[in-house]
Amino acid sequence: MNGLRYVYAVCRPFDAPLQAQVTGVAGAPVGQLPHHGLVAVVSTVPERDFAEEPLKRHLEDLDWLSDTARGHQSVIDALTAVTTPLPLRLATVFRDDSGVRTMLERREETLRRTLDRLDGRVEWGVKIYAESGGGQRAAAPARPASGRDYLLQRRRRNQAHDEMWERAEKFAGRLHDLLSGRAEDSRLHPPQNSALSRESGRNVLNAAYLVSRADSEAFVELVDRTKDEETADGAGLRVELTGPWAAYSFATPAPEEASGTASDTASGTASDTASDTGEAAP
């Protein structure tokens, strides 16, 4: 069975070895494909799964997609520990090494410029959730004695909810402004759907921050300190910090990893499920 070339990321040449136990998608060993001072990090994947038509079917299979995303992310995480990778989208596949080199050559200037911008930097994700119950179990309301009492109780509940959402959104704006001032760049992503993320509460901030490795410890301390100050009263706000990640959210302008001709690209299909940051690769 012929194999296709799966590309995880593009980076500068590096000497440090990847973790010995790291394998890529479908359990394949990971290698480096150098070209003009750039390196594509690749592995071989079976055509029966990653050619255009079977890949389209697989991307509707959540179990397969989850396994593939974990393999993809494990390689990106290992790269982030030893260098600055420019991660490509999940399921970026070419027919052979020649197709990968064609992509590198066609996008060489953009790739070099983006790698220069990301060098020595990582991505941190910050999410804020607001619990509609204020983070505490509310006492059961007294049975209304009349229709007027019922309307009054309902009005008070609505007012309390409105005040809580207003406070959450103000805190989200204040925290984002504070963290943006300490980061080199930031991105605001759409709020996550709680039904899909399976997180409790309403997502009022879903942001990514580009931070130098040297400043990351101070950035984390700032998040923790601000979180503790705002949530000390248990008012139903929850702050989640994730990272450090490869700079998925800042890898733009994006390399046209999936825009080759039929002769060099096996599939241009990509998925935005790269990690639990909820954040897309280029």
Side-chain angles (χ1 to χ4, degrees), residues 25-62:
V25 169
V30 177
Q32 300 181 37
L33 181 63
H35 187 72
H36 291 180
L38 296 172
V39 171
V41 180
V42 302
S43 67
T44 300
V45 292
E47 191 169 352
R48 66 175 180 272
D49 290 324
F50 287 89
E52 187 170 1
E53 288 306 316
L55 182 57
K56 286 180 180 178
R57 293 193 298 271
H58 279 315
L59 290 177
E60 311 242 342
D61 180 343
L62 293 182

Side-chain angles (χ1 to χ4, degrees), residues 261-277:
T261 64
S263 63
D264 62 22
T265 306
S267 173
T269 307
S271 173
D272 293 344
T273 59
S275 73
D276 69 352
T277 64

Side-chain angles (χ1 to χ4, degrees), residues 171-213:
F171 172 56
R174 187 166 69 252
L175 181 61
H176 178 63
D177 288 344
L178 178 64
L179 298 181
S180 295
R182 300 294 183 90
E184 297 189 19
D185 201 355
S186 63
R187 295 284 188 276
L188 281 173
H189 298 301
Q192 288 186 324
N193 184 315
S194 59
L196 297 177
S197 67
R198 298 182 180 178
E199 293 283 352
S200 63
R202 173 179 168 185
N203 184 207
V204 294
L205 178 69
N206 182 13
Y209 303 91
L210 185 67
V211 182
S212 72
R213 292 181 187 272

Side-chain angles (χ1 to χ4, degrees), residues 196-242:
L196 297 177
S197 67
R198 298 182 180 178
E199 293 283 352
S200 63
R202 173 179 168 185
N203 184 207
V204 294
L205 178 69
N206 182 13
Y209 303 91
L210 185 67
V211 182
S212 72
R213 292 181 187 272
D215 293 335
S216 285
E217 184 176 352
F219 184 86
V220 171
E221 289 176 353
L222 177 61
V223 174
D224 288 342
R225 185 170 63 251
T226 308
K227 172 183 66 176
D228 291 343
E229 291 171 356
E230 184 66 27
T231 61
D233 62 358
L237 294 178
R238 188 173 81 256
V239 180
E240 291 187 357
L241 173 70
T242 59

Side-chain angles (χ1 to χ4, degrees), residues 65-239:
L65 190 59
S66 178
D67 288 343
T68 301
R70 279 196 296 270
H72 180 101
Q73 189 60 38
S74 69
V75 175
I76 299 299
D77 289 343
L79 285 169
T80 303
V82 299
T83 188
T84 300
L86 172 55
L88 303 189
R89 286 183 187 266
L90 190 70
T92 297
V93 185
F94 293 84
R95 293 197 185 280
D96 50 30
D97 288 351
S98 176
V100 180
R101 289 191 174 99
T102 298
M103 180 272 290
L104 292 174
E105 191 162 329
R106 186 174 62 244
R107 302 300 300 167
E108 183 174 347
E109 182 179 346
T110 298
L111 291 167
R112 291 183 185 280
R113 186 168 58 246
T114 305
L115 284 168
D116 286 343
R117 182 166 57 86
L118 300 182
D119 188 39
R121 297 162 178 84
V122 291
E123 176 175 327
W124 291 92
V126 176
K127 296 183 177 69
I128 298 177
Y129 297 91
E131 302 284 355
S132 60
Q136 300 175 351
R137 184 179 295 275
R143 184 184 182 93
S146 65
R148 183 174 180 277
D149 287 342
Y150 167 77
L151 293 175
L152 183 59
Q153 284 183 4
R154 182 174 178 179
R155 186 180 305 118
R156 286 172 177 167
R157 285 197 302 270
N158 290 341
Q159 182 179 358
H161 286 170
D162 290 344
E163 290 173 352
M164 189 272 294
W165 296 133
E166 182 179 359
R167 176 187 172 184
E169 289 172 355
K170 284 183 177 179
F171 172 56
R174 187 166 69 252
L175 181 61
H176 178 63
D177 288 344
L178 178 64
L179 298 181
S180 295
R182 300 294 183 90
E184 297 189 19
D185 201 355
S186 63
R187 295 284 188 276
L188 281 173
H189 298 301
Q192 288 186 324
N193 184 315
S194 59
L196 297 177
S197 67
R198 298 182 180 178
E199 293 283 352
S200 63
R202 173 179 168 185
N203 184 207
V204 294
L205 178 69
N206 182 13
Y209 303 91
L210 185 67
V211 182
S212 72
R213 292 181 187 272
D215 293 335
S216 285
E217 184 176 352
F219 184 86
V220 171
E221 289 176 353
L222 177 61
V223 174
D224 288 342
R225 185 170 63 251
T226 308
K227 172 183 66 176
D228 291 343
E229 291 171 356
E230 184 66 27
T231 61
D233 62 358
L237 294 178
R238 188 173 81 256
V239 180

